[in-house]
Amino acid sequence: MLKPSWKRNDKKAKLLIYTISAVLFLTIAALGRVKLNVDPGFDIRIFALANAIINTIVAMLLVAALIAVKSKKYLLHKRLIISALFLSIIFLLSYVIHHLLAGETKFGGEGLIRYFYYFVLMTHIPLAAIVLPFIMFSAYNGLTGDFEKHKKIARITWPLWLYVAVTGPVLYLLISPYY
């Protein structure tokens, strides 16, 4: 096992994790009501494509991290997860910028594809909102060396995070013709 990277301070960690989660949740929830009328001088749909690419890479990193930990390559696992976390932060920034500049896009598909799209969307959105504090608690417990708590939380967190990371690009592919 690895040595702890951070000193434990559960009280501050909980406050920070809950605060970050709440602020991000409220910010993203408000995006549906806010659109900035700014012309950045380039095609703002590039953010949506970047988000899909980032989520695809995050999904690959998560799979690689699982393989690494199952192979007892703990340092590699840590590096892969930290990379996924870093890219997820970049994703969140890009997601907020995209929605502030582009606003909402209506899905125009019909028939079965429409039902599929809305099913994936209606599972993706709540899971994306729910998984964030779990990701942060899992990372915190891993970085502080509480590997039992880390494993317990990661067993729930990993599949949810992977689902969100995979369904994000799927949703992009389905809605991109309607931008």
Side-chain angles (χ1 to χ4, degrees):
M1 288 288 176
L2 297 173
K3 292 181 182 178
S5 301
W6 290 355
K7 185 179 173 191
R8 286 195 74 79
N9 188 336
D10 290 349
K11 196 172 187 178
K12 283 186 180 177
K14 284 180 183 179
L15 177 64
L16 185 62
I17 289 169
Y18 289 135
T19 301
I20 290 170
S21 298
V23 167
L24 282 172
F25 177 80
L26 294 172
T27 299
I28 292 170
L31 288 177
R33 296 177 193 87
V34 178
K35 182 182 182 297
L36 300 178
N37 290 319
V38 176
D39 180 12
F42 59 88
D43 187 355
I44 55 176
R45 293 175 292 190
I46 193 72
F47 288 109
L49 174 61
N51 292 342
I53 292 168
I54 291 168
N55 266 335
T56 301
I57 295 168
V58 167
M60 292 187 295
L61 288 169
L62 290 173
V63 171
L66 179 66
I67 293 167
V69 78
K70 296 285 185 186
S71 303
K72 299 188 185 314
K73 296 178 181 175
Y74 300 117
L75 183 58
L76 177 60
H77 169 78
K78 177 182 175 180
R79 289 177 176 162
L80 291 166
I81 291 296
I82 288 174
S83 298
L85 287 166
F86 176 75
L87 284 175
S88 293
I89 292 167
I90 301 298
F91 164 82
L92 286 168
L93 291 171
S94 177
Y95 181 87
V96 169
I97 292 168
H98 175 254
H99 283 276
L100 282 174
L101 296 175
E104 295 294 317
T105 301
K106 301 279 187 213
F107 182 71
E110 296 178 4
L112 288 177
I113 196 75
R114 183 175 189 81
Y115 293 110
F116 176 74
Y117 172 80
Y118 281 108
F119 172 79
V120 173
L121 183 66
M122 292 303 134
T123 57
H124 175 86
I125 290 172
L127 289 176
I130 291 167
V131 76
L132 180 60
F134 287 97
I135 292 169
M136 291 190 290
F137 276 116
S138 183
Y140 171 74
N141 287 316
L143 290 169
T144 59
D146 193 341
F147 298 116
E148 287 307 311
K149 275 188 182 177
H150 171 73
K151 285 190 277 187
K152 186 176 180 181
I153 295 170
R155 284 188 180 109
I156 298 166
T157 304
W158 186 89
L160 295 177
W161 192 5
L162 181 66
Y163 180 82
V164 169
V166 168
T167 56
V170 169
L171 290 166
Y172 168 76
L173 289 173
L174 291 170
I175 199 164
S176 62
Y178 307 104
Y179 283 133

